[in-house]
């Protein structure tokens, strides 16, 4: 039917094409007819030869919502809301790198644009790869005003592998100066990584060109060092380089560079290009030479590393790669986030340099690096770019009414090129994000051959380091068998016993056997990974635990199912069943997903275990650990909770529930939602029947075996001071494991009365 209708349309179009010239010679159409003809959408407007650029802008613009603007013929312009639909929004959101749209807006909700209104009466069918392929009146043909500018709201989930991202970028012409490098000239410097000193060169055509140093200042050097991932600049011995450069043939491409020192890219500085036929392009000068000071993470010199201290009151959380994450600042010994209002590259660069990186590559808004869960300390940060710390910048103190965690600011910093990705690769996978891990090493003769990693003890931690080294984001899974990816000729095991903390930059920095020792040495047992650009991040709501705690003496005859699932202490097995009772420390657990991907069980529903006693399936054998610790950190009582039902109990505004356990439904926790395990359900307790009165620490750990990948495992534990007098119990100072400063954490571990375990 659809093909027939299209055939009729084609025939009519052909007929009009034949008759229209003769009609035009006989009569002039009326104004009304002209308007009607113009209002009829054409099949498609003529597309650009280059890929169409799309951005979201306006106020209150977020990374996944805003006024839609298109870049056409060198100018940004908006889209009119006439005939706009959710189908149009879906096409635009996919073009921006999001999986779909959740809504669209009309009547300039995100403010009125300026300049052109590029498209009007847009009608997409849904399958188009770009909005330019949809029906419309054509480029620039509109009867709208900017009061009718359309906007979209995209689902906050990125298309895997999508490279472009909607970020606040620098306002500069990247075509002028795209890439710079330092070319080392000293023999010893050529072997060192990263390169911190050398002749400054810019990418030009198929090669590299130099910059004339006449008028060159330390401010220019600061900008270049920031681009290359270094926080500080230093003076260079020009006399040494002058002798070398006089013997070299140079091609000078730039001169008269005049940076202020706060720019994030050389292209943003005032500069001039040399004319190709210039006789003396750098008379009286020489090629610019730059020397940079690396941050502590990239310094090989141990003495220098001790002198270079990182900031103790600013940190990045939730990022997959080094130098990226949600910005958090320390105030009154507690970490909190920064609101993204007026967040820009100047403020982001201050944070990056403070943490030992270069200038900011991207200033991220809308919780692009996941949401925080603690306080929000700063809003409308206005750094000038020269400040030593973000705390030295003007900012507004805020209340909970001003900002929410969905507005948390983040950064991506420039980091030095280390070349780590050249010594690792994936083979056999269906996409570049998965495969068997192969590493490059050198033998005693200096010969490099590729080899495998023994899969024994390989886990998510090791996989996360591999994905980071590859530049592929987070680890979704670490695999100990890869027989289904057997497409490479590489069969030798080069590494075994690999054990990472999870924060390393490369697998070579992890512990591993000096001599390969692998019981299953066949290639099918080599380690593999599945990487992902997004990951979940689970956090326990500490105040809910503190507010809901109480003690219950529960009769044994009501605990048969709990005993079957090992939810009672060992002494329960010796009790006189069904007589007597167990003393239970009960509390509620509200578990939030503040990451950028849904949290889903690793095992598919076909492998979930049915528990007849309770009448439900377990999708994870151990979802949480509950422990009561003494002052030495020894467990005096413990409990655990299997994930019999991972679902969305409730969600933030504008977030819809996706997971529900009823009728054997899908299990998981959506981004922006939480799962509530109420205090009155089975196994939501610690059996403290055998615990003596005293002061303890209650510890709850989510996803303790790191069975499911997360962007941040440091916030999976929650601790509380616990006081038990034999009849009643009190919790105080409940907090996420990384929410306090190191000093406050030390005080927490040694609060009065805990060392002697006596009631004070």
């Amino acid at each position: 039917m659809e093909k027939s209708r299209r055939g009729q349309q084609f025939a009519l179009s052909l007929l009009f094409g034949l008759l229209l010239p003769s009609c035009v010679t006989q009569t002039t159409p009326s104004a009304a007819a002209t308007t009607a003809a113009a209002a009829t959408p054409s099949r498609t407007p003529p597309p650009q030869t280059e890929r169409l650029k799309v951005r979201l802008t306006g106020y209150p613009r977020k990374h996944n919502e805003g006024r839609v603007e298109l870049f056409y013929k060198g100018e940004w312009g908006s889209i009119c809301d006439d005939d706009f639909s959710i189908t149009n929004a879906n096409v635009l959101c996919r073009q921006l790198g999001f999986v779909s749209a959740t809504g669209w807006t009309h009547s300039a909700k995100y403010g009125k644009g300026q300049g052109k209104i590029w498209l009007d009466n847009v009608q997409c069918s849904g399958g188009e790869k770009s909005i330019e392929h949809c029906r419309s009146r054509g480029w620039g043909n509109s009867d709208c005003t900017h009061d009718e500018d359309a906007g979209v709201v995209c689902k906050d989930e990125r298309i895997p592998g999508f490279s472009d991202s909607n970020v606040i970028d620098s306002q500069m012409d990247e075509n002028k100066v795209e890439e710079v490098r330092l070319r080392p000239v000293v023999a010893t410097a050529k072997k060192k990584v990263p390169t911190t000193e050398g002749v400054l060169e810019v990418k030009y055509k198929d090669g590299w060109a130099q910059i004339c140093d006449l008028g060159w200042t330390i401010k220019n050097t600061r900008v270049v060092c920031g681009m290359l991932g270094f926080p500080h600049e230093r003076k260079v011995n020009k006399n040494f380089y002058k002798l070398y450069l006089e013997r070299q043939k140079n091609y000078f491409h730039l001169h008269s560079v005049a940076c202020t020192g706060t720019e994030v890219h050389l292209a943003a500085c005032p500069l001039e290009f040399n004319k190709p036929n210039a006789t003396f392009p750098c008379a009286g000068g020489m090629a610019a030479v730059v020397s940079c000071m690396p941050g502590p993470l990239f310094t090989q010199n141990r003495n220098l590393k001790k002198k270079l201290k990182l900031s103790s009151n600013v940190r990045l959380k939730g990022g997959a790669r080094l130098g990226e994450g949600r910005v958090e600042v320390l105030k009154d010994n507690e970490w909190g986030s920064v609101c993204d209002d007026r967040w820009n590259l100047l403020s982001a660069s201050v944070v990056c340099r403070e943490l030992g990186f270069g200038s900011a590559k991207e200033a991220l808004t809308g919780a692009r690096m996941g949401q925080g869960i603690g306080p929000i300390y700063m809003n409308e940060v206005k750094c000038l770019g020269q400040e030593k710390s973000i705390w030295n910048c003007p900012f507004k103190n805020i209340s909970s009414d001003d900002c929410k965690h969905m507005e948390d600011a983040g950064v991506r910093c420039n980091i030095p090129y280390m070349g780590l990705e050249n010594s690792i690769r994936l083979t056999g996978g269906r996409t570049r994000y998965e495969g068997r891990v192969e590493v490059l090493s050198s033998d005693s003769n200096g010969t490099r051959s590729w080899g495998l990693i023994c899969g024994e003890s390989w886990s998510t931690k090791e996989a996360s380091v591999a994905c980071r080294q590859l530049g592929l984001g987070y680890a979704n899974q670490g695999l100990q068998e890869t027989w289904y990816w057997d497409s490479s000729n590489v069969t030798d095991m080069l590494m075994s016993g690999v054990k990472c903390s999870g924060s390393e930059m490369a697998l070579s920095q992890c512990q591993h056997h000096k001599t390969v020792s692998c019981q299953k040495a066949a290639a099918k047992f080599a380690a593999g990974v599945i990487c992902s650009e997004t990951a979940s991040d689970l956090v326990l709501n500490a105040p809910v635990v503190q507010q809901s705690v109480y003690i219950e003496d529960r009769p044994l005859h009501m605990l048969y199912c709990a005993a079957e699932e090992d939810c009672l202490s060992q002494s329960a097995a010796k009790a006189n069943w069904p007589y007597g009772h167990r003393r239970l420390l009960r509390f509620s657990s509200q578990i939030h997903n503040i990451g950028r991907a849904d949290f889903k069980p690793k095992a598919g529903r076909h492998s979930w275990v049915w528990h007849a006693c309770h009448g439900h399936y377990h999708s994870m054998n151990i979802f949480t650990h509950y422990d009561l610790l003494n002052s030495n950190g020894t467990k005096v009582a413990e409990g655990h909770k299997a994930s019999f039902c991972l679902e969305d109990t409730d969600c933030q505004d504008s977030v819809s529930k996706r997971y529900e356990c009823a009728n054997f439904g899908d299990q998981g926790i959506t981004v922006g939602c939480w799962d509530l395990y109420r205090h009155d359900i089975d196994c939501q307790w610690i059996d403290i029947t055998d615990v003596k009165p005293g002061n303890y620490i209650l510890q709850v750990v989510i996803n303790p075996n790191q069975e499911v990948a997360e962007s941040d495992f440091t916030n999976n534990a929650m601790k509380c001071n616990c006081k038990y007098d034999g009849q009643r119990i009190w919790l105080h100072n409940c907090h996420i494991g990384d929410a306090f400063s190191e000093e406050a954490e030390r005080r927490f571990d040694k609060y009065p009365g805990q060392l002697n375990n006596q009631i004070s």
Side-chain angles (χ1 to χ4, degrees):
M1 183 65 186
E2 179 67 19
K3 288 183 178 179
S4 174
R5 185 172 63 83
R6 288 182 179 173
Q8 292 172 3
Q9 288 177 342
F10 177 78
L12 286 171
S13 301
L14 185 62
L15 183 61
F16 272 113
L18 293 170
L19 295 178
L20 190 58
S22 59
C23 293
V24 170
T25 58
Q26 294 174 24
T27 180
T28 302
S30 65
T34 304
T35 305
T40 304
S42 63
R43 178 58 186 152
T44 57
Q48 301 189 107
T49 54
E50 296 182 2
R51 181 179 176 184
L52 180 67
K53 293 181 181 179
V54 184
R55 72 179 181 186
L56 299 180
T57 186
Y59 184 84
R61 172 250 179 183
K62 300 299 176 191
H63 73 283
N64 63 323
E65 63 176 278
R67 182 176 66 248
V68 180
E69 292 192 351
L70 312 174
F71 192 71
Y72 181 70
K73 288 190 175 179
E75 187 176 352
W76 288 101
S78 58
I79 300 177
C80 181
D81 61 15
D82 291 350
D83 293 333
F84 209 82
S85 67
I86 190 67
T87 307
N88 297 354
N90 274 319
V91 172
L92 284 162
C93 287
R94 287 197 300 270
Q95 203 168 347
L96 286 161
F98 298 97
V99 294
S100 62
T102 59
W104 62 278
T105 64
H106 57 85
S107 305
K109 178 189 173 182
Y110 296 100
K112 294 187 286 187
Q114 296 179 342
K116 298 283 189 180
I117 299 176
W118 278 128
L119 294 178
D120 189 7
N121 297 107
V122 180
Q123 298 175 13
C124 300
S125 63
E128 296 87 351
K129 291 186 177 181
S130 173
I131 196 72
E132 63 187 319
H133 299 141
C134 301
R135 292 174 178 270
S136 77
R137 297 174 64 156
W139 289 107
N141 188 358
S142 171
D143 59 359
C144 299
T145 67
H146 282 294
D147 290 312
E148 302 167 85
D149 284 346
V152 296
V153 180
C154 302
K155 179 175 172 56
D156 194 5
E157 183 178 339
R158 302 289 292 173
I159 297 171
F162 193 89
S163 57
D164 292 343
S165 57
N166 181 33
V167 297
I168 303 171
D169 54 8
S170 53
Q171 299 300 312
M172 60 192 179
D173 183 1
E174 281 285 343
N175 294 324
K176 292 196 298 183
V177 180
E178 292 184 350
E179 189 178 349
V180 302
R181 74 174 186 184
L182 296 182
R183 177 167 55 86
V185 298
V186 183
T188 54
K190 291 179 180 179
K191 298 179 181 179
K192 289 183 179 180
V193 178
T195 301
T196 59
E197 183 175 303
V199 178
L200 176 61
E201 297 185 327
V202 295
K203 188 77 173 176
Y204 180 66
K205 295 183 177 178
D206 295 328
W208 296 87
Q210 292 74 46
I211 300 177
C212 180
D213 75 342
L214 290 176
W216 188 266
T217 68
I218 198 70
K219 293 180 180 179
N220 298 345
T221 301
R222 175 179 171 82
V223 173
V224 171
C225 290
M227 287 176 64
L228 296 172
F230 303 113
H232 307 294
E233 65 285 354
R234 54 188 172 191
K235 292 183 178 179
V236 69
N237 184 350
K238 287 183 64 174
N239 293 329
F240 168 80
Y241 283 93
K242 190 172 184 179
L243 293 171
Y244 168 81
L245 291 169
E246 283 176 349
R247 300 192 296 268
Q248 302 295 314
K249 183 178 180 181
N250 297 307
Y251 176 80
F252 294 103
H253 184 49
L254 299 175
H255 66 90
S256 303
V257 181
C259 303
T260 64
T262 61
E263 296 88 350
V264 297
H265 198 287
L266 200 63
C269 302
L271 49 81
E272 294 182 27
F273 289 85
N274 285 342
K275 296 178 180 179
N277 57 354
T279 308
F280 301 105
C282 190
M286 68 179 205
V289 179
V290 165
S291 181
C292 304
M293 178 82 73
L297 291 172
F298 307 97
T299 302
Q300 307 297 329
N301 188 314
R302 291 185 177 180
N303 294 327
L304 185 60
K305 187 175 287 191
K306 290 179 181 178
K307 294 179 182 178
L308 298 171
K309 292 184 179 180
L310 290 176
S311 172
S312 59
N313 57 8
V314 179
R315 70 182 183 184
L316 301 181
K317 298 289 288 183
R321 301 169 180 84
L322 195 65
E324 70 174 26
R326 178 178 64 253
V327 179
E328 292 190 351
V329 293
L330 187 66
K331 180 181 179 182
D332 298 331
N333 288 314
E334 185 174 5
W335 290 97
S337 55
V338 176
C339 189
D340 64 9
D341 290 349
R342 300 200 178 187
W343 185 247
N344 61 20
L345 280 166
L346 285 177
S347 300
S349 291
V350 170
V351 169
C352 289
R353 290 181 185 270
E354 185 177 0
L355 291 171
F357 305 113
S359 52
K361 184 161 45 177
E362 298 172 9
L364 305 172
T365 61
R368 280 290 305 281
M369 288 295 166
Q371 299 183 24
I373 199 171
I376 302 174
Y377 288 133
M378 293 180 171
N379 188 23
E380 296 191 18
V381 181
K382 301 176 186 175
C383 298
L384 299 176
Q386 298 286 5
E387 295 88 349
K388 295 282 179 66
S389 170
I390 190 175
W391 285 105
N392 301 137
C393 303
F395 66 90
K396 285 186 179 180
N397 292 309
I398 65 170
S399 66
S400 59
D401 297 329
D402 295 323
C403 281
K404 306 295 181 187
H405 279 296
M406 62 182 67
E407 301 169 83
D408 284 345
V411 295
R412 281 200 179 101
C413 306
N414 288 313
I415 64 170
Y417 175 72
M418 304 293 289
L420 298 173
E421 70 279 7
N422 298 326
S423 58
I424 187 172
R425 69 186 183 189
L426 299 182
T427 61
R430 296 163 297 181
T431 71
R432 69 188 188 97
Y433 284 84
E434 65 179 27
R436 180 181 289 166
V437 180
E438 296 183 0
V439 291
L440 190 64
S441 67
S442 301
D443 59 20
S444 57
N445 298 323
T447 305
R448 296 166 69 87
S449 61
W450 288 94
L452 308 176
I453 299 176
C454 181
E456 295 168 14
S457 75
W458 182 263
S459 70
T460 305
K461 282 187 176 181
E462 289 71 45
S464 67
V465 176
C467 291
R468 181 180 300 120
Q469 186 176 353
L470 287 158
L472 296 178
Y474 307 96
N476 195 317
Q477 287 186 47
L479 304 159
Q480 296 185 355
E481 294 184 17
T482 52
W483 50 267
Y484 37 81
W485 287 332
D486 198 11
S487 64
S488 173
N489 295 326
V490 177
T491 57
D492 295 335
M493 292 287 178
L494 282 185
M495 293 181 76
S496 63
V498 180
K499 188 175 182 180
C500 305
S501 67
S503 60
E504 295 89 349
M505 288 188 283
L507 289 172
S508 59
Q509 298 172 357
C510 301
Q511 296 179 20
H512 57 88
H513 295 154
K514 290 185 178 180
T515 304
V516 175
S517 175
C518 188
Q519 292 183 358
K520 297 180 179 179
K524 65 180 181 180
F525 297 113
V529 296
I530 299 176
C531 305
S532 174
E533 288 292 340
T534 58
S536 61
D537 188 13
L538 296 190
V539 175
L540 188 66
N541 190 325
V544 169
V545 175
Q546 185 166 319
Q547 294 160 12
S548 62
V549 68
Y550 65 96
I551 287 177
E552 179 193 10
D553 290 335
R554 194 163 182 81
L556 283 173
H557 68 82
M558 301 176 69
L559 292 171
Y560 279 104
C561 284
E564 184 182 304
E565 294 190 16
D566 292 327
C567 295
L568 302 175
S569 60
Q570 293 180 356
S571 65
K574 302 174 184 177
N576 185 23
W577 290 75
Y579 308 105
H581 67 270
R582 305 299 292 179
R583 176 157 289 184
L584 308 176
L585 168 60
R586 308 198 71 143
F587 52 89
S588 296
S589 294
Q590 190 182 88
I591 299 164
H592 294 244
N593 183 359
I594 62 172
R596 293 190 286 151
D598 294 354
F599 183 93
K600 293 185 284 190
K602 185 177 180 180
R605 66 170 68 194
H606 63 279
S607 60
W608 295 352
V609 179
W610 173 256
H611 282 252
C613 193
H614 278 134
H616 56 233
Y617 285 92
H618 283 184
S619 55
M620 291 174 66
N621 286 333
I622 297 179
F623 179 52
T624 48
H625 273 167
Y626 305 142
D627 299 311
L628 203 61
L629 313 174
N630 63 17
S631 59
N632 298 323
T634 304
K635 294 180 183 179
V636 296
E638 62 181 323
H640 74 272
K641 187 74 182 147
S643 65
F644 71 88
C645 175
L646 279 174
E647 67 176 1
D648 297 327
T649 305
D650 208 348
C651 302
Q652 297 174 351
D653 294 342
S654 77
V655 178
S656 301
K657 297 180 183 179
R658 296 182 62 182
Y659 301 100
E660 189 175 5
C661 298
N663 302 318
F664 198 39
D666 284 340
Q667 292 195 21
I669 307 176
T670 304
V671 175
C673 299
W674 55 89
D675 188 8
L676 177 64
Y677 285 80
R678 285 175 51 88
H679 55 81
D680 54 1
I681 62 175
D682 258 9
C683 298
Q684 186 60 35
W685 63 56
I686 299 177
D687 184 350
I688 61 169
T689 306
D690 307 319
V691 175
K692 297 177 180 179
N695 293 324
Y696 301 96
I697 291 176
L698 170 66
Q699 178 175 279
V700 178
V701 184
I702 311 167
N703 192 17
N705 300 331
Q706 300 184 5
E707 186 177 328
V708 178
E710 297 185 47
S711 60
D712 186 2
F713 288 109
T714 63
N715 57 11
N716 281 35
M718 185 224 67
K719 297 195 290 185
C720 304
N721 290 132
C722 178
K723 184 174 181 179
Y724 175 47
D725 68 359
Q727 298 298 325
R728 295 168 298 172
I729 202 156
W730 296 267
L731 296 182
H732 56 284
N733 287 339
C734 290
H735 65 284
I736 303 302
D738 65 345
F740 287 178
S741 66
E742 292 183 8
E743 180 186 350
E745 199 63 41
R746 285 194 295 269
R747 289 202 304 266
F748 171 87
D749 289 337
K750 298 178 181 178
Y751 73 97
Q754 187 172 322
L755 293 180
N756 57 17
N757 207 31
Q758 299 295 315
I759 298 293
S760 56

